[in-house]
Amino acid sequence: MPMNLVHRRLCSSEKWARAVEDRLLPWVLDGVPLGPDALEIGPGYGATTRVLLRREGLTRLSVVEVDAAYAARLRREFGDRAEGVLPGGGGGGGGGGGGAEVEVVHGDGTALPWPDGRFDSVACFTMLHHVPSPARQDALFAEAHRVLRPGGVFAGCDSLSNWRWRLIHWGDTCVPVPPATLETRLRAAGFTEVAVEVGTGSFRFRAVRAVPVG
């Protein structure tokens, strides 16, 4: 989704990449079992993707990015030999990061091109506020639930709204997610075991696609 020049420079900076690696993702993913086959929605410049690729036990990471230029940049960095045309369509690459196979797809998190129950985990980090409406955010939650296997985990984080944060997002697509309402929204998408925790400047969440009884 559109970002202003200052915001783009911040998200592509080494300072942000270090903050993601040292503080943000260790907090968000503490105790979260990603499993061997994970999906990241909306990685942008790829700072979070680089950290995910170093997670122990991850053998395949798919990423879906709505911005065509960002998707092309991610494909160049992570060496996706599948060209991101069709999910699961052969190849994958050993580009920047760890040893996991990487698939980069140019697509929309509200209409994911994978079958039901494909992934062990789905993650998104500091991107929900760039989804242009609450209804589209809810559609993303529903899609995350759909592509998870039973017992799979949806985890992520987003920023808390304040005047300084709003200033950085001047002119951007910016629809903050109130953490107080997120549990209800995730449960409406079908998730169980929902947990939302507010931290300093951001909140984290995790939820599970239930295992059918019987």
Side-chain angles (χ1 to χ4, degrees), residues 101-199:
E101 181 178 303
V102 180
E103 174 189 28
V104 178
V105 172
H106 173 220
D108 191 333
T110 68
L112 296 172
W114 288 279
D116 296 2
R118 156 65 195 275
F119 295 102
D120 298 305
S121 61
V122 176
C124 62
F125 308 102
T126 66
M127 58 74 64
L128 289 172
H129 60 277
H130 287 299
V131 179
S133 70
R136 295 284 296 277
Q137 293 167 353
D138 289 341
L140 186 151
F141 299 153
E143 280 290 271
H145 182 271
R146 180 184 66 78
V147 300
L148 275 171
R149 63 166 177 77
V153 177
F154 179 38
C157 65
D158 208 4
S159 303
L160 298 173
S161 181
N162 57 55
W163 70 267
R164 187 187 301 273
W165 181 79
R166 284 283 195 177
L167 186 61
I168 292 172
H169 289 76
W170 184 264
D172 290 359
T173 297
C174 184
V175 182
V177 176
T181 64
L182 183 56
E183 179 177 353
T184 299
R185 295 171 69 183
L186 290 173
R187 291 190 183 279
F191 288 102
T192 61
E193 301 180 44
V194 179
V196 180
E197 181 181 350
V198 175

Side-chain angles (χ1 to χ4, degrees), residues 18-41:
R18 286 195 300 271
V20 165
E21 181 173 7
D22 295 342
R23 297 192 299 276
L24 185 64
L25 258 64
W27 177 60
V28 175
L29 296 178
D30 182 31
V32 174
L34 291 181
D37 191 2
L39 168 67
E40 182 183 11
I41 301 174

